[in-house]
């Protein structure tokens, strides 16, 4: 089979992996080589589904000895199979990279023969790119559950990021839909996370020590294939960020790929739910929210009609209004309609002048929402505060409700 | 009576014009490059001679007195290459002169906001094109990228590509402005419109599908989208149609 045909099969098979980030790693181009890491990451294109393309995302092979119900590559699925050679992937990566199509490679794989055999192929691709092609761009490798510690360690020395996909949020679902156990996933995750911490320590003492996965670890959860609620998912993510030091958790709305009766029959992927989970995730990573503030056992699902910050604010009206001139940065961040950018700009600009309603608009605050929560110059923006929640709610509802298929910008403040 | 300054269109040129006009009491009627110059009925024209040393000293002074951030804003706003930006730069600097370096933090002031906004637009487009620039292999292994950016972002993105492809021979051409840059693996050379640019432009493989990697990339681009999630609006918001002309996967 030629390389063109292989890419058709294996590129398309990788599309359900959502991670595409190329951020978090800064490295100069090696002598005589090509490619560098840019800390902020760079997007190179946007596919027809609106998702960013930053890396050549492909499988090494779609052959798999496992039979996970939600996965196109499952053993029992009757589809054409292919496998790259190590050299083919290296060549594709280099040639795409030179034409500036990509920031680097994201290599995942089905499990061919056994976990170690597969992991070794992935590791060899990364090693060859670095050593022979003198490639300095971004490499993200999937760690194959069950692969040996040693191989994962070696992979991390060449890759910028390593990830293990959790996919299903609870062990019950894992057992129901796969032949994997929780340990198969959590053990390598723990391994990687301690290797990253040790490496950071080591490099404090010895600058020349090789770096281990400098862009950290990420994972992916499938949303809507199994009965877990949002509260369980958000709490799981919080645990992954704090206990395993993950850089990112990705959420992937379940796209039905089989008629297996253990899986729900969905007309469309639950995109709005996925979108709300990303917003909740941002609140935890950038806005200082704890999972327990976003959801609790009494209301375990995110509000579909409004973003989680607005929903939180509405439940906590007793904390508002706050004053635009004096409120601390952390409180500004919690106002619906104020994002990280505008909160920063408010803090800069208010040192120079008393901010007015128009100033806030110019700074980029969405006044339709924010006006219910702020005082400007000591006065409520709306005459007659203490408006009925029903009216406030109306201003906070996002248009996503009208047309669930449309994607909002990732985080409307 | 307020006057109109005419300068040669270069960055040192505009610095000299700004330096001269800021020394006067009155706000100038206009600061225009010779390219855009039209005699004004009511304002006498003062031609500005470009003096690199004087421009350098002026920039130095701005940096020490106002800070590196102001310098960066100034450079980027100028590179927006939009008509009328010179007078906005004048207003910005005049405001900072009166208000002190802190004035730059008056984000919503009418003398500050437009200039910062220009600078931001330029930064956004430059960042975008570090991703959207596409190289094609032309004669003798040269990698060539063509683009038609709204702003003059070539000087901003060139260092990025020099860091990225130090060992390759490559060139980038801003087709609309007829300027470009050639990297010979050791140092950058400016290319101006002329026979060399024309030759490069003509060396692009015209026939589609000659390069197997281009072909594979186009196919890959189609395959990677999840059909159930089709979202052309979102795609266009991040990747405006005006860039498609030079995008291998969208051409
Ligand atoms: S192990 Fe991975 S590739 Fe194989 S069936 Fe399960 S999810 Fe799919």
């Amino acid at each position: 089979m030629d390389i063109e045909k292989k890419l058709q099969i294996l590129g398309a098979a990788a599309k359900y992996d959502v991670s595409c980030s190329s951020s978090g790693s800064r490295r100069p181009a090696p002598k005589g080589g090509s490619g560098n890491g840019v800390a902020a990451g760079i997007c190179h294109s946007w596919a027809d589904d609106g998702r960013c393309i930053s890396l050549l995302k492909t499988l090494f092979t779609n052959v798999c000895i496992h039979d996970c119900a939600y996965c196109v590559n499952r053993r029992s699925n009757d589809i054409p199979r292919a496998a790259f050679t190590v050299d083919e992937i290296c060549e594709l990566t280099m040639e795409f990279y030179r034409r500036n199509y990509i920031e680097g490679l994201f290599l995942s794989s089905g499990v061919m023969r056994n976990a170690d055999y597969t992991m070794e192929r992935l590791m060899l691709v990364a090693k060859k790119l670095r050593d022979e092609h003198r490639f300095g761009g971004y490499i993200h490798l999937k760690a194959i559950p069950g692969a040996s510690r040693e191989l994962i360690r070696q992979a991390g020395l060449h890759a910028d990021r390593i990830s293990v996909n959790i996919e299903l949020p609870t062990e019950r679902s894992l057992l129901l839909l796969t032949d994997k156990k929780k340990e198969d996933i959590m053990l390598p995750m723990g391994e990687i996370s301690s290797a990253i911490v040790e490496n950071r320590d080591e490099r404090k003492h010895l600058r020349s020590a090789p770096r281990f996965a400098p862009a950290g670890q990420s994972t992916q959860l499938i949303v809507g294939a199994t009965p877990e609620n949002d509260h369980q998912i958000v709490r799981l993510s919080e645990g992954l960020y704090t206990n395993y030091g993950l850089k990112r958790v990705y959420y992937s709305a379940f796209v039905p790929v089989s008629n297996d009766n253990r899986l729900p029959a969905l007309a469309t992927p639950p995109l709005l739910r996925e979108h709300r989970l990303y917003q909740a995730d941002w609140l935890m990573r950038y806005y200082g929210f704890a999972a327990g503030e976003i959801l609790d056992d009494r209301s375990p699902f995110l509000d579909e009609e409004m973003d989680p910050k607005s929903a939180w604010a509405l439940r906590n009206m007793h904390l508002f209004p706050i004053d635009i001139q004096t409120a601390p940065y952390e409180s500004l961040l919690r106002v619906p309609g104020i994002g990280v950018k505008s909160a920063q700009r408010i803090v800069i600009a208010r040192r120079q002048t008393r901010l007015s309603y128009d100033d806030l608009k110019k700074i980029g605050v969405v006044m339709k929402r924010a006006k219910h929560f702020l005082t400007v110059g000591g006065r409520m923006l709306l005459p007659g505060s203490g408006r009925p929640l029903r009216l406030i709610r109306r201003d906070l509802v996002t248009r996503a409700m009208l047309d669930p298929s449309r994607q909002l910008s990732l985080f409307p403040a | 009576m307020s006057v109109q300054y005419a300068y040669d269109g270069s960055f040192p040129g505009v610095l000299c014009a700004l330096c001269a006009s800021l020394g006067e009491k009155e706000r100038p009627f206009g600061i225009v490059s010779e390219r855009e110059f039209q005699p004004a009925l009511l304002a006498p024209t003062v031609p500005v001679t470009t003096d690199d040393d004087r421009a350098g000293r002026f920039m130095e002074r701005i940096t020490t007195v106002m800070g590196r951030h102001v310098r960066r804003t100034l450079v980027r706003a100028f590179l927006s290459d939009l008509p009328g930006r010179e007078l906005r730069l004048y207003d910005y600097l005049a405001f900072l002169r009166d208000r002190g370096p802190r004035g730059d933090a008056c984000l919503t002031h009418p003398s500050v906001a437009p200039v910062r906004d220009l600078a931001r637009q330029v930064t956004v487009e430059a960042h975008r094109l570090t991703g959207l620039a596409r190289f094609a292999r032309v004669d003798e292994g040269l990698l060539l990228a063509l683009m038609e950016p709204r702003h003059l972002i070539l000087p901003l993105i060139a260092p990025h590509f020099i860091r990225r492809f130090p060992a390759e021979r490559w060139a980038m051409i801003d087709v609309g402005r007829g300027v470009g840059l050639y990297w010979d693996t050791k140092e950058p050379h400016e290319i101006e419109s002329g026979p060399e640019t024309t030759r490069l432009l003509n060396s692009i493989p015209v026939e589609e599908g000659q390069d197997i990697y281009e072909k594979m990339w186009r196919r890959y681009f189609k395959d990677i989208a999840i059909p159930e999630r089709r979202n052309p609006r979102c795609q266009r918001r991040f990747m405006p149609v005006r860039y498609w002309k030079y995008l291998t996967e969208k051409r």
Side-chain angles (χ1 to χ4, degrees), chain A residues 36 44 57 91 98 103, chain B residues 134 164 168 213 220 249:
Chain A
N36 58 335
H44 284 258
K57 186 159 61 174
E91 183 192 316
R98 278 193 191 106
E103 268 315 273
Chain B
R134 293 286 177 266
R164 173 151 294 195
E168 304 275 348
Y213 295 101
Y220 176 78
E249 63 272 30

Side-chain angles (χ1 to χ4, degrees), chain A residues 4 15 35-36 44-46 48-49 57 91 97-101 103 255 271 274 359 362 407, chain B residues 108 130-135 164 168 211 213-215 220-221 224 226 228-229 231 235 238 249:
Chain A
E4 222 179 313
K15 67 177 164 226
N36 58 335
H44 284 258
S45 194
W46 280 266
D48 293 337
D49 55 13
K57 186 159 61 174
E91 183 192 316
Y97 192 83
R98 278 193 191 106
R99 288 163 179 74
N100 205 39
Y101 301 161
E103 268 315 273
V255 180
L271 293 179
E274 176 197 285
D359 286 337
K362 277 191 214 149
Q407 264 185 337
Chain B
T108 55
T130 56
L132 294 180
R134 293 286 177 266
F135 286 102
R164 173 151 294 195
E168 304 275 348
D211 179 352
Y213 295 101
E214 279 195 11
K215 191 171 157 216
Y220 176 78
F221 176 80
I224 201 71
I226 299 180
E228 290 89 337
R229 304 183 61 131
N231 193 338
Q235 181 185 42
F238 290 112
E249 63 272 30

Side-chain angles (χ1 to χ4, degrees), chain B residues 5-191:
Chain B
Y5 293 89
Y7 72 106
D8 64 1
S10 70
F11 188 57
V14 81
L15 289 177
C16 291
L18 287 168
C19 186
S21 56
L22 283 162
E24 301 294 325
K25 267 207 203 69
E26 233 175 337
R27 183 174 188 263
F29 175 83
I31 303 176
V32 289
S33 74
E34 279 152 10
R35 183 158 51 107
E36 298 157 324
F37 173 74
Q38 279 181 344
L41 272 184
L42 296 173
T45 299
V46 180
V48 179
T49 14
T50 300
D51 173 345
D52 284 351
D53 286 341
R54 186 164 169 230
R57 281 196 308 277
F58 183 60
M59 200 58 172
E60 203 58 39
R61 211 163 68 234
I62 289 178
T63 318
T64 34
V65 180
M66 303 296 173
R68 297 173 63 89
H69 189 262
V70 170
R71 173 204 179 106
R72 182 186 145 102
T73 307
L74 207 63
V75 172
R76 297 196 170 215
F78 178 75
L79 291 177
S80 71
D81 206 21
L82 296 177
R85 67 199 184 288
E86 297 93 343
L87 211 51
R88 290 183 186 273
L89 292 181
Y90 170 88
D91 288 337
Y92 176 62
L93 290 179
F95 177 74
L96 294 183
R97 177 194 59 197
D98 301 341
R99 177 80 188 239
R102 292 271 198 93
D104 188 47
C106 298
L107 303 183
T108 55
H109 191 279
S111 297
V112 178
V115 173
R116 289 184 66 125
D117 194 50
L118 282 178
R120 194 186 49 81
Q121 284 178 41
V122 171
T123 304
V124 167
E125 186 173 55
H127 180 72
R128 239 181 202 153
L129 278 168
T130 56
L132 294 180
R134 293 286 177 266
F135 286 102
R137 274 229 188 271
V138 294
D139 61 334
E140 289 154 32
L142 179 77
L143 292 165
L144 176 65
L146 303 182
M147 54 185 74
E148 267 175 75
R150 185 170 281 175
H151 310 294
L152 178 54
I153 46 91
L154 216 52
L156 293 178
I157 65 173
H160 165 81
F161 286 102
I162 292 174
R163 280 194 297 274
R164 173 151 294 195
F165 300 118
E168 304 275 348
R169 285 173 55 240
W170 53 265
M172 296 189 125
I173 294 178
D174 181 332
V175 178
R177 296 183 178 80
V179 294
L181 183 112
Y182 167 58
W183 172 256
D184 67 0
T185 72
K186 288 186 189 64
E187 52 189 350
H189 307 271
E190 249 177 72
I191 341 180

Side-chain angles (χ1 to χ4, degrees), chain B residues 191-211:
Chain B
I191 341 180
E192 306 225 349
S193 8
E196 178 59 12
T197 323
T198 321
R199 196 187 64 76
L200 276 174
L201 287 173
N202 288 334
S203 68
I204 295 166
V206 259
E207 242 170 89
E208 299 279 325
Q210 274 185 348
D211 179 352

